[in-house]
């Protein structure tokens, strides 16, 4: 469903016979901005809607309603709005005039200058007089027309016919080491190298286009003036004199500007003749790369000046909307939304035959990037990782390239791929992660005679959790709390299972977390559960609460392995010479420090000092029926690896 | 500082106040959906997003 505000505003304005300039002045915006609102490209904020509702004497509720059935007051019957309109119309027109002198508009608003209206402004008590509205408008229009004619003749100027139109492609620019972009409200921001002050743009406002040089940023304001940061003082002083500019572009060291009469200005580096643009007319758009200038005229033809290697391929090309250059690409975006790349000499052709509805292109060293009207970005590059990364970008409104990286702008955030040495951009995935729930952590398993209890830490903003384990059949369940108890009959002794858990949200603002995966070996209560993370993910710390199995009477080697696997490190083994072993089975005789059935965490186990005694093994041929008269103990070699703590 | 003047209501209840910038972001991100209602102090009544001119910011309706 489209906004019907443009239709409503047009209907209201036409009904009251108001100019776009007048309504724009009421909203304290430029005519171009207002034209953008009326043609549906821009949108009002609530304050502006309130002003409009007051201007047209309708309620804000009616103004905000998305239909064009709007109350149109009859002037003859409604003296209030008549008075309101007639009383306000004079002053804003006079005050606003110097902002619209480069504007092409559709309802014969005159091109005027403040000084032409001094007489009108000086009329006393205009607001208090009852004036015939139609007559007044007629007088104003006639005065504007005459004033413009006289002004134009006196100054012998060509009639300006081009408008400054803010475009999305102008909202983002990239050099080899920094990126600049324009926010919704016309402020300008940057990321990356600021060693030359090229990102010190906080003083700029009402910016409609930005471009970058090697180490400077140049901007075009909606008033048609130009400014820059990081630029040498002489060049800066020069561009501050420019006015009535409708487009700008910057190469490495030269700046191009198109005036509203179709002429072109250039300052800066002219070593390749890139600034030889004085004689060209009827230009509506400029692009620049390194030491080259590309001018597009009103017939959509290319005029090129600058580095010779490009010249033969570009001069005279027709039906061209944009040209993008790099060391090894010449990309041409045609007016029908298709793209062609020159595949000759040093230049690579590009795979663009399936691309359509392309609105912008950009080239780097070894790649060409394309943006379509749906905000999708495509790239011609021999790098599948970057290709994959860029394909995940959505709703992009502008693209730009440095020699070895690509950035895309969605109106709020700059995403990038490639070389990010100067931190020119944010990784798309990093930004998206902020809306993804954290993965569950600290899975613990507690085995009882009847149940196996799984618990994990609560995840912020998670409404529930999905728990899955590959029992036979697979068990999968959503649980509100970070715990699930399963009947132990569903598990087989000693069998390995894989547990997957992820945090979920009912709120669209949060995406489900990444699933964590843990291997788990089931042992009945007496045995040892040995969960280990399957992946390299750092999220799983498993403070399993162990239940100590039977030890006394078991084989010494088996028990020592068992304790070692659990994590015990402080184990002392003592041979009891008074008790001889049967055959080769060296059994544990007694143990201190831990007991059968005790539940203990890994951390606790590490701190325990465990001592056990075992029978004395005597090779069979020497085994005699010995008698035990006294117990002597000696510290014996433990089976614990030598890097474990040695206990004396 | 931008004033927090906007509220929205969905099947989970009412949320707000938010600035206009935040409201627009939530519409763009489809957190506020076309059938959800929005309201600000100067309005007499709540209005469904899809019935308001703010549908401009909803996905697919932004003309840029």
């Amino acid at each position: 469903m489209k906004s019907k505000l443009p239709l409503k505003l047009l209907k209201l304005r036409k009904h009251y016979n108001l100019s776009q300039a007048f309504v724009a002045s009421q909203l304290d915006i430029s005519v171009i901005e207002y034209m953008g609102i009326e043609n549906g490209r821009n949108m009002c904020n609530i304050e502006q809607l309130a002003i409009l509702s007051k201007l047209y004497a309708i309620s804000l509720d009616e103004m905000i309603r998305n239909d064009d059935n709007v109350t149109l007051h009859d002037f003859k019957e409604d003296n209030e709005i008549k008075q309101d309109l007639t009383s306000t119309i004079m002053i804003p027109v006079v005050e606003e005039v110097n902002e619209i002198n480069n504007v092409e508009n559709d309802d014969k608003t005159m091109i005027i200058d403040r000084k032409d209206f001094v007489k009108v402004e000086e009329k006393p008590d205009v607001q208090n007089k009852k004036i015939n509205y139609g007559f007044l408008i007629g007088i104003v229009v006639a005065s504007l027309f005459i004033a413009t004619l006289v002004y134009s003749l006196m100054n012998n100027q060509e009639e300006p016919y081009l408008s400054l139109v803010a475009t999305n492609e102008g909202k983002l620019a990239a050099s080899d080491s920094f990126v600049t972009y324009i926010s919704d409200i016309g402020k300008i921001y940057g990321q990356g190298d600021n060693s030359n002050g090229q990102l010190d743009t906080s003083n700029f406002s009402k910016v409609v286009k930005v471009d970058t040089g090697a180490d400077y940023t140049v901007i075009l304001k909606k008033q048609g003036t130009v400014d820059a940061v990081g630029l040498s003082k002489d060049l800066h002083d020069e561009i501050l004199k420019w006015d009535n500019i409708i487009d700008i572009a910057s190469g490495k060291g030269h700046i191009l500007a198109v005036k509203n009469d179709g002429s072109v200005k250039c300052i800066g580096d002219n070593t390749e003749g890139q600034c030889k643009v004085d004689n060209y007319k009827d230009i509506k758009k400029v692009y620049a790369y390194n030491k080259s200038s590309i001018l597009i005229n009103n017939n959509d033809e290319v005029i090129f000046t600058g580095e010779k290697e490009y010249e033969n391929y570009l001069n005279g090309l027709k039906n061209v909307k944009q040209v993008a250059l790099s060391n090894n690409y010449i990309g041409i975006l045609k007016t029908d939304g298709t793209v062609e790349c020159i595949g000759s000499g040093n230049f690579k052709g590009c795979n663009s035959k399936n691309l359509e509805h392309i609105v912008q292109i950009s080239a780097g060293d070894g790649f060409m990037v394309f943006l379509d009207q749906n905000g999708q970005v495509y790239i011609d590059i021999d790098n599948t990782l970057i290709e994959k990364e860029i394909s995940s970008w959505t709703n992009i409104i502008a693209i730009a390239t440095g020699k070895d990286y690509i950035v895309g702008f969605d109106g709020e955030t700059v995403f990038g791929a490639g070389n990010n040495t100067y931190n020119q951009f944010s990784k798309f995935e990093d930004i998206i992660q902020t809306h993804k729930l954290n993965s569950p952590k600290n899975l613990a398993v507690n085995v009882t005679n009847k149940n196996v209890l799984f618990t994990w830490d609560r995840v912020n903003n998670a409404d529930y959790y999905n728990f899955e384990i590959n029992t036979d059949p697979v068990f999968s369940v959503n649980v509100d709390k970070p715990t699930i108890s399963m009947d132990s009959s569903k598990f087989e002794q000693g069998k390995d299972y894989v547990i997957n858990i992820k945090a979920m949200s009912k709120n669209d603002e949060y995406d489900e977390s990444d699933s964590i995966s843990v291997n788990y070996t089931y042992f009945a209560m007496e045995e040892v559960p040995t969960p280990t993370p399957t992946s390299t993910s750092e999220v799983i710390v498993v403070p399993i609460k162990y239940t100590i199995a039977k030890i006394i009477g078991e084989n010494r080697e088996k028990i020592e392995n068992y304790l070692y696997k659990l994590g015990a490190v402080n184990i002392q083994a003592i041979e009891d010479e008074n008790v001889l072993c049967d055959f080769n089975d060296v059994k544990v005789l007694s143990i201190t420090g831990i007991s059968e059935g005790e539940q203990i965490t890994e951390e606790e186990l590490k701190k325990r000092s465990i001592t056990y005694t075992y029978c004395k093994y005597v090779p069979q041929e020497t085994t005699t029926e010995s008698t035990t008269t006294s117990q002597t103990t000696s510290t014996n070699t433990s089976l614990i690896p030598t890097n474990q703590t040695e206990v004396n | 500082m931008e004033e927090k003047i906007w509220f929205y209501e969905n099947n989970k209840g009412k949320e707000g106040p938010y600035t206009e910038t935040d409201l627009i972001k939530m519409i763009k991100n489809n957190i506020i959906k076309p059938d959800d209602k929005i309201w600000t102090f100067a309005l007499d009544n709540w209005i469904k997003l899809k019935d308001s001119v703010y549908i401009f910011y909803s996905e697919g309706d932004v003309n840029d």
Side-chain angles (χ1 to χ4, degrees), chain A residues 385-403:
Chain A
L385 285 177
I386 287 182
E387 195 173 1
K388 187 178 176 185
E389 190 165 355
I390 285 175
S391 68
S392 66
W393 298 357
T394 55
N395 299 320
I396 299 300
I397 62 169
I399 54 174
T401 50
K403 66 178 181 181

Side-chain angles (χ1 to χ4, degrees), chain A residues 356-357 359 371-378 394-396, chain B residues 64:
Chain A
E356 55 184 5
H357 306 306
V359 294
L371 172 66
D372 77 6
Q373 63 181 16
N374 298 318
Q376 194 68 47
V377 182
Y378 304 92
T394 55
N395 299 320
I396 299 300
Chain B
D64 58 16

Side-chain angles (χ1 to χ4, degrees), chain A residues 461-490:
Chain A
N461 299 311
D463 293 318
Y464 62 99
Y465 306 86
N466 178 259
F467 176 94
E468 186 177 288
I469 186 167
N470 61 336
T471 49
D472 187 17
V474 171
F475 179 70
S476 179
V477 65
N478 290 335
V479 292
D480 291 339
K481 294 180 180 176
T483 181
I484 176 76
S485 176
M486 294 179 64
D487 193 311
S488 56
S489 65
K490 297 184 182 301

Side-chain angles (χ1 to χ4, degrees), chain A residues 613-629:
Chain A
T613 61
Y614 60 95
C615 58
K616 181 178 181 180
Y617 170 68
V618 180
Q620 198 164 6
E621 59 272 23
T622 59
T623 300
T624 58
E625 291 188 3
S626 62
T627 55
T628 58
T629 54

Side-chain angles (χ1 to χ4, degrees), chain A residues 1 45 61 64 66 508, chain B residues 20 33 44 50-51 53 61:
Chain A
M1 184 183 294
N45 60 35
D61 288 64
I64 208 172
N66 195 32
D508 293 338
Chain B
E20 176 134 330
K33 297 182 168 37
D44 291 334
K50 68 181 181 186
D51 295 332
V53 294
D61 286 302

